[in-house]
Amino acid sequence: MEDSFTSQQTYIDEFDSVEYLKMYYDQEQAMLSEWTDFALQTLHEVFSAGGIGGDTIMDIGSGPTIYQLLSACEKFKNIIISDFLEQNLAEIQKWLKKEPGAFDWTSYIERVCKLEGNGATCEEKAEKLRNKVKEVLRCDVLKENPFEPLTLNPVDCVISCLCLEACCNDMESFCDVLKHLKSLIKPGGCLLLLSKLNRHYYSVGDQRFSALPVTREGLEKALKDAGYETMEIKVADQNYQSKILMLYAKHK
Ligand SMILES: C[S@@+](CC[C@H](N)C(=O)[O-])C[C@H]1O[C@@H](n2cnc3c(N)ncnc32)[C@H](O)[C@@H]1O
């Protein structure tokens, strides 16, 4: 069964949130900086350019991470965090409640404060983000209503980083998921997707998790087929090892 796409039960049983943070977000691990450099810089640019903002932003497949919301928290009054796994939501809650053992995001917060250059301290920025997170919810993007049995009001913006490729085993399913997300966005609102291209899997500890190897063209087509209008695409510099990109699309 080596080749089958990772099941939801495997995620529930095997995804180790603490190990994921250690492998991909611990500053000691230099291999990660290409992703975080790109994500922090790109999200800073997208949110500071104006145009994207409003009442509520929803992060889909947040995992145990908050770096992706550091720039967004300047532009939205409310933030909804969501993931399929309870263990990831528990990690987020630990950080929100400043509990012992919570992951230390200080260096990420400092980097975003520096990019924003408005004199806010790391503590002030962290408090701003904490205060804006109004919900931490379980979701399953494979469901037509990812928050079933809840029905949420559509939001101004949905953001999702490295998640959809981890849930969908083909482009048809990817397109269906984009349609599910569309129902969570107000008409005229936007979707921000951050992805690594052509990746077949990622590892957490000894466990491999499947990824759908997406291309820029495939993503653009899926967005079009799902009824979005692509507004902007940014691809990381050539000197990055793996191709990574940000897609900004509008719910027409
Ligand atoms: C590679 S991690 C990305 C985490 C985080 N967004 C980041 O940028 O590091 C993929 C995430 O997708 C979540 N996921 C997997 N299947 C899902 C589903 N059906 N619905 C929502 N999230 C799902 C996993 O729990 C995991 O947190």
mmCIF file of all heavy atoms in Angstrom, residues 17-39:
data_model
loop_
_atom_site.group_PDB
_atom_site.id
_atom_site.type_symbol
_atom_site.label_atom_id
_atom_site.label_comp_id
_atom_site.label_asym_id
_atom_site.label_seq_id
_atom_site.Cartn_x
_atom_site.Cartn_y
_atom_site.Cartn_z
ATOM 1 N N SER A 17 2.189 16.871 15.536
ATOM 2 C CA SER A 17 2.233 18.335 15.386
ATOM 3 C C SER A 17 3.551 18.918 15.890
ATOM 4 O O SER A 17 4.107 19.840 15.286
ATOM 5 C CB SER A 17 1.095 18.983 16.182
ATOM 6 O OG SER A 17 -0.092 18.303 15.979
ATOM 7 N N VAL A 18 4.040 18.383 17.016
ATOM 8 C CA VAL A 18 5.258 18.934 17.614
ATOM 9 C C VAL A 18 6.457 18.634 16.709
ATOM 10 O O VAL A 18 7.307 19.489 16.457
ATOM 11 C CB VAL A 18 5.454 18.377 19.044
ATOM 12 C CG1 VAL A 18 6.783 18.815 19.635
ATOM 13 C CG2 VAL A 18 4.299 18.817 19.933
ATOM 14 N N GLU A 19 6.484 17.413 16.169
ATOM 15 C CA GLU A 19 7.563 17.031 15.251
ATOM 16 C C GLU A 19 7.500 17.882 13.970
ATOM 17 O O GLU A 19 8.536 18.304 13.439
ATOM 18 C CB GLU A 19 7.421 15.530 14.923
ATOM 19 C CG GLU A 19 8.559 14.945 14.109
ATOM 20 C CD GLU A 19 9.906 14.984 14.826
ATOM 21 O OE1 GLU A 19 9.940 14.989 16.073
ATOM 22 O OE2 GLU A 19 10.935 15.028 14.107
ATOM 23 N N TYR A 20 6.287 18.136 13.487
ATOM 24 C CA TYR A 20 6.114 18.976 12.287
ATOM 25 C C TYR A 20 6.703 20.370 12.535
ATOM 26 O O TYR A 20 7.460 20.896 11.709
ATOM 27 C CB TYR A 20 4.622 19.074 11.938
ATOM 28 C CG TYR A 20 4.329 19.924 10.714
ATOM 29 C CD1 TYR A 20 4.565 19.435 9.423
ATOM 30 C CD2 TYR A 20 3.824 21.217 10.832
ATOM 31 C CE1 TYR A 20 4.309 20.219 8.298
ATOM 32 C CE2 TYR A 20 3.560 22.002 9.719
ATOM 33 C CZ TYR A 20 3.804 21.491 8.453
ATOM 34 O OH TYR A 20 3.547 22.273 7.339
ATOM 35 N N LEU A 21 6.394 20.944 13.674
ATOM 36 C CA LEU A 21 6.925 22.273 14.002
ATOM 37 C C LEU A 21 8.446 22.239 14.083
ATOM 38 O O LEU A 21 9.132 23.126 13.588
ATOM 39 C CB LEU A 21 6.339 22.761 15.333
ATOM 40 C CG LEU A 21 4.880 23.206 15.278
ATOM 41 C CD1 LEU A 21 4.312 23.388 16.687
ATOM 42 C CD2 LEU A 21 4.734 24.509 14.490
ATOM 43 N N LYS A 22 8.938 21.183 14.722
ATOM 44 C CA LYS A 22 10.390 21.071 14.892
ATOM 45 C C LYS A 22 11.082 20.952 13.533
ATOM 46 O O LYS A 22 12.065 21.622 13.241
ATOM 47 C CB LYS A 22 10.688 19.812 15.736
ATOM 48 C CG LYS A 22 11.925 19.966 16.607
ATOM 49 C CD LYS A 22 12.430 18.645 17.101
ATOM 50 C CE LYS A 22 11.668 18.137 18.315
ATOM 51 N NZ LYS A 22 12.075 16.760 18.674
ATOM 52 N N MET A 23 10.502 20.114 12.652
ATOM 53 C CA MET A 23 11.150 19.873 11.357
ATOM 54 C C MET A 23 11.070 21.059 10.409
ATOM 55 O O MET A 23 11.990 21.323 9.656
ATOM 56 C CB MET A 23 10.498 18.668 10.658
ATOM 57 C CG MET A 23 10.987 17.348 11.167
ATOM 58 S SD MET A 23 10.280 15.992 10.224
ATOM 59 C CE MET A 23 11.133 16.124 8.661
ATOM 60 N N TYR A 24 9.937 21.741 10.416
ATOM 61 C CA TYR A 24 9.734 22.760 9.380
ATOM 62 C C TYR A 24 9.805 24.201 9.871
ATOM 63 O O TYR A 24 9.947 25.107 9.060
ATOM 64 C CB TYR A 24 8.402 22.510 8.656
ATOM 65 C CG TYR A 24 8.424 21.219 7.877
ATOM 66 C CD1 TYR A 24 7.858 20.068 8.397
ATOM 67 C CD2 TYR A 24 9.080 21.146 6.654
ATOM 68 C CE1 TYR A 24 7.912 18.865 7.703
ATOM 69 C CE2 TYR A 24 9.149 19.955 5.952
ATOM 70 C CZ TYR A 24 8.556 18.818 6.481
ATOM 71 O OH TYR A 24 8.640 17.637 5.790
ATOM 72 N N TYR A 25 9.686 24.427 11.163
ATOM 73 C CA TYR A 25 9.638 25.821 11.626
ATOM 74 C C TYR A 25 10.657 26.170 12.705
ATOM 75 O O TYR A 25 10.768 27.333 13.074
ATOM 76 C CB TYR A 25 8.205 26.181 12.061
ATOM 77 C CG TYR A 25 7.278 26.124 10.869
ATOM 78 C CD1 TYR A 25 6.482 25.017 10.629
ATOM 79 C CD2 TYR A 25 7.264 27.158 9.934
ATOM 80 C CE1 TYR A 25 5.685 24.936 9.494
ATOM 81 C CE2 TYR A 25 6.476 27.092 8.800
ATOM 82 C CZ TYR A 25 5.679 25.977 8.584
ATOM 83 O OH TYR A 25 4.920 25.912 7.456
ATOM 84 N N ASP A 26 11.387 25.158 13.187
ATOM 85 C CA ASP A 26 12.418 25.457 14.164
ATOM 86 C C ASP A 26 13.540 26.202 13.458
ATOM 87 O O ASP A 26 14.049 25.725 12.441
ATOM 88 C CB ASP A 26 12.926 24.135 14.760
ATOM 89 C CG ASP A 26 13.821 24.379 15.948
ATOM 90 O OD1 ASP A 26 14.579 25.364 15.931
ATOM 91 O OD2 ASP A 26 13.754 23.579 16.887
ATOM 92 N N GLN A 27 13.921 27.347 13.983
ATOM 93 C CA GLN A 27 14.909 28.193 13.317
ATOM 94 C C GLN A 27 16.282 27.534 13.181
ATOM 95 O O GLN A 27 17.080 27.932 12.360
ATOM 96 C CB GLN A 27 15.056 29.519 14.064
ATOM 97 C CG GLN A 27 13.868 30.420 13.866
ATOM 98 C CD GLN A 27 13.699 30.853 12.407
ATOM 99 O OE1 GLN A 27 14.458 31.644 11.903
ATOM 100 N NE2 GLN A 27 12.695 30.305 11.736
ATOM 101 N N GLU A 28 16.536 26.531 13.990
ATOM 102 C CA GLU A 28 17.823 25.846 13.893
ATOM 103 C C GLU A 28 17.937 25.070 12.579
ATOM 104 O O GLU A 28 19.017 24.776 12.112
ATOM 105 C CB GLU A 28 17.989 24.835 15.031
ATOM 106 C CG GLU A 28 17.697 25.380 16.416
ATOM 107 C CD GLU A 28 18.877 26.130 16.984
ATOM 108 O OE1 GLU A 28 19.918 25.502 17.136
ATOM 109 O OE2 GLU A 28 18.735 27.340 17.245
ATOM 110 N N GLN A 29 16.776 24.721 12.028
ATOM 111 C CA GLN A 29 16.766 23.875 10.829
ATOM 112 C C GLN A 29 16.818 24.759 9.581
ATOM 113 O O GLN A 29 15.787 25.182 9.077
ATOM 114 C CB GLN A 29 15.487 23.032 10.777
ATOM 115 C CG GLN A 29 15.175 22.313 12.065
ATOM 116 C CD GLN A 29 15.608 20.864 12.011
ATOM 117 O OE1 GLN A 29 15.961 20.353 10.957
ATOM 118 N NE2 GLN A 29 15.582 20.205 13.138
ATOM 119 N N ALA A 30 18.018 24.966 9.076
ATOM 120 C CA ALA A 30 18.205 25.923 7.985
ATOM 121 C C ALA A 30 17.420 25.582 6.733
ATOM 122 O O ALA A 30 17.023 26.454 5.973
ATOM 123 C CB ALA A 30 19.675 26.025 7.657
ATOM 124 N N MET A 31 17.140 24.276 6.521
ATOM 125 C CA MET A 31 16.487 23.865 5.282
ATOM 126 C C MET A 31 15.128 24.535 5.095
ATOM 127 O O MET A 31 14.575 24.576 4.018
ATOM 128 C CB MET A 31 16.306 22.346 5.263
ATOM 129 C CG MET A 31 15.232 21.852 6.204
ATOM 130 S SD MET A 31 15.217 20.055 6.286
ATOM 131 C CE MET A 31 13.480 19.728 6.350
ATOM 132 N N LEU A 32 14.604 25.057 6.162
ATOM 133 C CA LEU A 32 13.255 25.584 6.073
ATOM 134 C C LEU A 32 13.172 27.015 5.655
ATOM 135 O O LEU A 32 12.115 27.517 5.330
ATOM 136 C CB LEU A 32 12.619 25.484 7.448
ATOM 137 C CG LEU A 32 12.699 24.043 7.794
ATOM 138 C CD1 LEU A 32 12.231 23.830 9.160
ATOM 139 C CD2 LEU A 32 11.850 23.304 6.820
ATOM 140 N N SER A 33 14.294 27.703 5.685
ATOM 141 C CA SER A 33 14.186 29.134 5.536
ATOM 142 C C SER A 33 13.643 29.552 4.174
ATOM 143 O O SER A 33 13.036 30.591 4.056
ATOM 144 C CB SER A 33 15.531 29.787 5.817
ATOM 145 O OG SER A 33 16.443 29.311 4.883
ATOM 146 N N GLU A 34 13.831 28.705 3.147
ATOM 147 C CA GLU A 34 13.332 29.133 1.834
ATOM 148 C C GLU A 34 11.822 29.279 1.839
ATOM 149 O O GLU A 34 11.278 30.204 1.245
ATOM 150 C CB GLU A 34 13.806 28.210 0.700
ATOM 151 C CG GLU A 34 13.204 26.844 0.673
ATOM 152 C CD GLU A 34 13.560 26.087 -0.631
ATOM 153 O OE1 GLU A 34 14.530 26.450 -1.297
ATOM 154 O OE2 GLU A 34 12.856 25.141 -0.943
ATOM 155 N N TRP A 35 11.132 28.370 2.532
ATOM 156 C CA TRP A 35 9.675 28.481 2.586
ATOM 157 C C TRP A 35 9.243 29.695 3.412
ATOM 158 O O TRP A 35 8.430 30.507 2.982
ATOM 159 C CB TRP A 35 9.051 27.197 3.161
ATOM 160 C CG TRP A 35 7.590 27.378 3.466
ATOM 161 C CD1 TRP A 35 7.016 27.531 4.696
ATOM 162 C CD2 TRP A 35 6.529 27.492 2.516
ATOM 163 N NE1 TRP A 35 5.670 27.725 4.571
ATOM 164 C CE2 TRP A 35 5.341 27.704 3.242
ATOM 165 C CE3 TRP A 35 6.474 27.437 1.116
ATOM 166 C CZ2 TRP A 35 4.095 27.851 2.627
ATOM 167 C CZ3 TRP A 35 5.228 27.590 0.503
ATOM 168 C CH2 TRP A 35 4.070 27.799 1.258
ATOM 169 N N THR A 36 9.820 29.801 4.602
ATOM 170 C CA THR A 36 9.357 30.886 5.469
ATOM 171 C C THR A 36 9.764 32.257 4.932
ATOM 172 O O THR A 36 9.006 33.209 5.035
ATOM 173 C CB THR A 36 9.805 30.673 6.920
ATOM 174 O OG1 THR A 36 11.165 30.315 6.920
ATOM 175 C CG2 THR A 36 9.005 29.590 7.590
ATOM 176 N N ASP A 37 10.949 32.353 4.315
ATOM 177 C CA ASP A 37 11.352 33.633 3.702
ATOM 178 C C ASP A 37 10.308 34.059 2.678
ATOM 179 O O ASP A 37 9.854 35.199 2.654
ATOM 180 C CB ASP A 37 12.680 33.500 2.937
ATOM 181 C CG ASP A 37 13.865 33.441 3.864
ATOM 182 O OD1 ASP A 37 13.675 33.630 5.078
ATOM 183 O OD2 ASP A 37 14.973 33.174 3.357
ATOM 184 N N PHE A 38 9.952 33.107 1.813
ATOM 185 C CA PHE A 38 9.005 33.412 0.741
ATOM 186 C C PHE A 38 7.633 33.770 1.327
ATOM 187 O O PHE A 38 7.018 34.772 0.963
ATOM 188 C CB PHE A 38 8.861 32.202 -0.196
ATOM 189 C CG PHE A 38 7.825 32.399 -1.276
ATOM 190 C CD1 PHE A 38 8.127 33.144 -2.414
ATOM 191 C CD2 PHE A 38 6.554 31.854 -1.166
ATOM 192 C CE1 PHE A 38 7.172 33.340 -3.416
ATOM 193 C CE2 PHE A 38 5.595 32.048 -2.160
ATOM 194 C CZ PHE A 38 5.912 32.788 -3.284
ATOM 195 N N ALA A 39 7.168 32.938 2.241
ATOM 196 C CA ALA A 39 5.816 33.138 2.774
ATOM 197 C C ALA A 39 5.710 34.467 3.537
ATOM 198 O O ALA A 39 4.785 35.252 3.296
ATOM 199 C CB ALA A 39 5.441 31.963 3.683
#
